[in-house]
Amino acid sequence: MPSATFHFPKGFLWGTATSSHQVEGGNTNNNWYKWEQEGHTAHKSGNGSDWWGGRWKEDFDRAAETGQNAHRLSVEWSRIQPAPDRWDEAALERYRSMLRGLRDRGITPMVTLHHFTDPLWLGELGGWETQAVVPLFEKYARKVVEALKEYCTLWCTINEPNVYALEGYLRGNFPPGKSDLKLGLVVQSNMARAHAAAYRLLHELQPEARVGYALHFRPQESFRSWFPLDRLMRNIKFAGINLAFPSAISTGIMRSPVGRIQVPEVKGTQDFLGLNYYSVDTVAFDLRNPQELFSRSFFPEGIDLADAGMNSNTPEGFFSAIKWAVRTYPSLPIIITENGIEDSTDRIRPRYLAEHVHAMWRAVNFNWPVKGYFHWSLVDNFEWERGWTQRFGLWALDIETQKRTRRSSADLYAAICKENGLSSAMVEKYCPEVFEKLFPG
Ligand code: FCB
């Protein structure tokens, strides 16, 4: 049996990612709380993973003990600015102690300013649908950066603007549950303007800041490559899902299959690309599915699929996502801001993790500038409209007792973080079923 280790460059960031509403609990002043009360979600977020109650301490201990040297978390706008004319200094102080808690444990923080949730008052003012949001976000960002810059230099302005728009303005899973793709594009353009304003502000307040946003990148494959209509649908979906924000940052014009919007101030506003990668979609033309533009997205039969069927284990797609990023932005640093799989029994996660780390190592070996990897997630947390039905944590969570149970993937990830690499011994121990694939010969 071959014995080898795939090493990563010195200083590589290994961490996990979380978001405020998913882990904190008790967020009652945002649009997701309202959405949950209205019955749009499988469960309610409740106490989350009880970070606001103080359990961030024990979870950061877990991260540190398992060799993680970075953590991505988000701060909750609705806590920090509970009303347009009111700031909650105690909430900011709490975030300061969390970031200090990370620093004390030798963990580099990345702070996300917006991860899907909006203060209720913002919704009343039109949310992200009008440009009025831009100065409001800028004001909020200024307050956060002034309070937290002592502890953080790595910033993610907005998480997955494309998912926010597609789920909230097409599929109806996220608030405001509208069905208006053109408005969804307007929303993304306002997010891009707010991102650009925060980018400039951050550099003004903290010259050493490194600022990006997190793009949900989803490769699309045509079901029958010989069939032009499958290819057409694939191309429309690829552009519609992935390219609005990147086009705005590259050219100052946001482009999508439903239109284009001039956002000149957005051009060039990123110091790194944050890439969230989960799975690949297969796309076929389908006359019976007019609501999806006569197309259908699915996972092909026989694919390595997680229990709830939302995530497939397709590491080739991860490699191609990184390749796309490098081609789009040559020499711009890339940080994998999310990657993971829902798997309550940890049946598939060890091989998902090993195969994705391997794909990333291949990318690094082309000298592509991947600088870090944040696994989603540290501990099970509230999965939006899917409630608690999906378990992404390295640690399992019992939401009644808040007891954490370490999954074996946590051990594998600890070994990867501590080694700064993936070894044949790790694969043999945690996921021998992919040994031949990763270490042929
Ligand atoms: C991403 C979200 C994150 C989490 C994972 C599973 O799209 O950014 O909050 O829900 O999916």
Side-chain angles (χ1 to χ4, degrees), residues 18-19 22 72 115-116 159-160 163 174 216 276 278 310-311 338 376 381-384 386 390 392:
T18 55
S19 89
Q22 293 178 274
R72 172 178 173 232
H115 194 126
F116 293 162
N159 179 70
E160 297 190 344
V163 170
F174 282 18
H216 183 96
N276 291 3
Y278 286 88
M310 190 181 97
N311 241 173
E338 286 179 29
W376 186 276
N381 56 55
F382 176 73
E383 268 305 323
W384 308 113
R386 290 149 277 133
Q390 295 188 352
F392 278 87

Side-chain angles (χ1 to χ4, degrees), residues 11-13 69-70 103 108-113 145 149 151-157 195 198-213 269-274 332-335 337 369-372 374:
F12 197 82
L13 296 177
N69 62 15
R103 288 280 182 208
T108 299
M110 175 191 276
V111 170
T112 303
L113 297 173
V145 175
K149 68 174 192 215
Y151 304 110
C152 179
T153 54
L154 204 49
W155 302 90
C156 174
T157 54
H195 155 84
Y199 177 89
R200 295 205 168 84
L201 169 93
L202 263 153
H203 281 289
E204 173 200 315
L205 296 180
Q206 189 187 48
E208 69 276 26
R210 283 178 293 150
V211 187
Y213 73 103
T269 53
Q270 68 183 356
D271 304 322
F272 64 88
L273 177 68
L332 184 77
I334 298 164
I335 298 178
T337 31
V370 185
K371 303 293 182 194
F374 291 88

Side-chain angles (χ1 to χ4, degrees), residues 248-270:
I249 297 219
S250 298
T251 65
I253 303 169
M254 179 170 276
R255 293 167 209 270
S256 115
V258 294
R260 55 170 63 187
I261 298 178
Q262 303 278 345
V263 280
E265 70 273 38
V266 176
K267 193 172 170 188
T269 53
Q270 68 183 356

Side-chain angles (χ1 to χ4, degrees), residues 305-311 341-348:
L305 200 60
D307 301 341
M310 190 181 97
N311 241 173
I341 192 158
E342 28 105 10
D343 180 13
S344 60
T345 58
D346 219 33
R347 169 185 66 83
I348 187 174

Side-chain angles (χ1 to χ4, degrees), residues 58-75:
E58 51 171 288
D59 286 338
F60 290 178
D61 284 344
R62 292 184 173 92
E65 279 158 24
T66 51
Q68 296 175 35
N69 62 15
H71 184 79
R72 172 178 173 232
L73 56 74
S74 77
V75 291

